[in-house]
Amino acid sequence: MNSGLLIASNVLLWGAFLALAALMLGVIRQIGLLHERSAPLGAMMIDHGPDVGERSPVFSVTTIDGVPVTVGRAVTPGRASLLMFTGPSCPICQKLLPIIRSVAATENTDVILISDGTQAEHREFLRNHPLDGERYVVSAEIGMRYQVSKVPYGVLLDKDGVIQGKGLCNTREHVESLFETTRLGHSTLQNFLKHGAEDASKHVH
């Protein structure tokens, strides 16, 4: 009798295991389908500071090397500026730095790295990641004015200091989207995707 109960319990356990395995496969398949259908997102806007289309506030500050610089207006006359909010201990910021340089060079844009923290932290960061034409500014005031809560965060200004795009930038795609949305005529890539879907719906109807 005990042997029969043992066999029955084993059969039930195997049945439950197979049912659970089938359920997990179904979940994994649905996740894969959602991933395939999801459009790539650009830089996510998470702040409530100066908005796209507004002129940037202006800050007269000095770089970490003591060189005066005006943040919020063109560094080089006639050129756009990319304000990139970073942190000396942010690993994503460190990996993103070569990408920022590459995209900025392609777009003919000046880069101002804006950070916060102690001088020792910044000196250590710059020893490991020497600047290559970027301006490096230590200023909590600028981050607070833009209400930046997470880094790396980018703000693209045109030659007149008007905000063209902004958002959290964790990848090359995010950085490039700041420039791409300007060419597409939208403030963010999410905005473009939303209106593109609306336009497509209108055409269907």
Side-chain angles (χ1 to χ4, degrees), residues 135-195:
R135 281 77 170 175
Y136 194 98
V137 173
V138 180
S139 172
E141 179 189 3
I142 303 175
M144 288 189 292
R145 181 66 181 84
Y146 269 100
Q147 297 188 32
V148 174
S149 59
K150 295 181 180 180
V151 295
Y153 194 91
V155 178
L156 177 63
L157 308 179
D158 69 7
K159 59 184 180 62
D160 298 315
V162 176
I163 302 172
Q164 299 297 299
K166 61 177 184 174
L168 191 65
C169 296
N170 290 322
T171 65
R172 172 182 284 274
E173 178 187 65
H174 293 165
V175 177
E176 290 176 339
S177 76
L178 296 177
F179 297 89
E180 189 62 27
T181 51
T182 303
R183 290 188 280 267
L184 295 172
H186 292 271
S187 57
T188 67
L189 197 56
Q190 292 88 353
N191 182 272
F192 167 74
L193 292 171
K194 175 184 176 182
H195 285 78

Side-chain angles (χ1 to χ4, degrees), residues 27 51 180 196:
V27 171
D51 207 352
E180 189 62 27

Side-chain angles (χ1 to χ4, degrees), residues 61-69 71 75 82-90 93-94 97 101 110-139 142:
V61 293
T62 58
T63 67
I64 196 168
D65 295 320
V67 178
V69 62
V71 176
V75 176
L82 177 61
L83 313 183
M84 186 58 64
F85 293 87
T86 67
S89 59
C90 167
C93 301
Q94 297 172 17
L97 188 54
R101 288 171 176 160
D110 291 316
V111 176
I112 301 177
L113 302 174
I114 303 170
S115 192
D116 191 14
T118 67
Q119 287 290 324
E121 289 175 323
H122 297 298
R123 294 297 179 187
E124 178 66 21
F125 173 82
L126 293 175
R127 272 195 295 271
N128 296 323
H129 307 278
L131 297 178
D132 186 18
E134 304 85 13
R135 281 77 170 175
Y136 194 98
V137 173
V138 180
S139 172
I142 303 175

Side-chain angles (χ1 to χ4, degrees), residues 25-104:
L25 287 174
V27 171
I28 292 171
R29 182 175 180 275
Q30 289 301 316
I31 292 174
L33 289 174
L34 286 173
H35 179 74
E36 289 177 1
R37 293 171 183 172
S38 297
L41 293 179
M44 295 292 294
M45 292 174 60
I46 58 172
D47 70 274
H48 300 285
D51 207 352
V52 173
E54 298 178 358
R55 287 174 70 87
S56 170
V58 179
F59 307 88
S60 296
V61 293
T62 58
T63 67
I64 196 168
D65 295 320
V67 178
V69 62
T70 300
V71 176
R73 293 295 180 267
V75 176
T76 304
R79 289 184 62 172
S81 302
L82 177 61
L83 313 183
M84 186 58 64
F85 293 87
T86 67
S89 59
C90 167
I92 298 177
C93 301
Q94 297 172 17
K95 293 179 181 178
L96 199 65
L97 188 54
I99 294 172
I100 294 169
R101 288 171 176 160
S102 172
V103 174

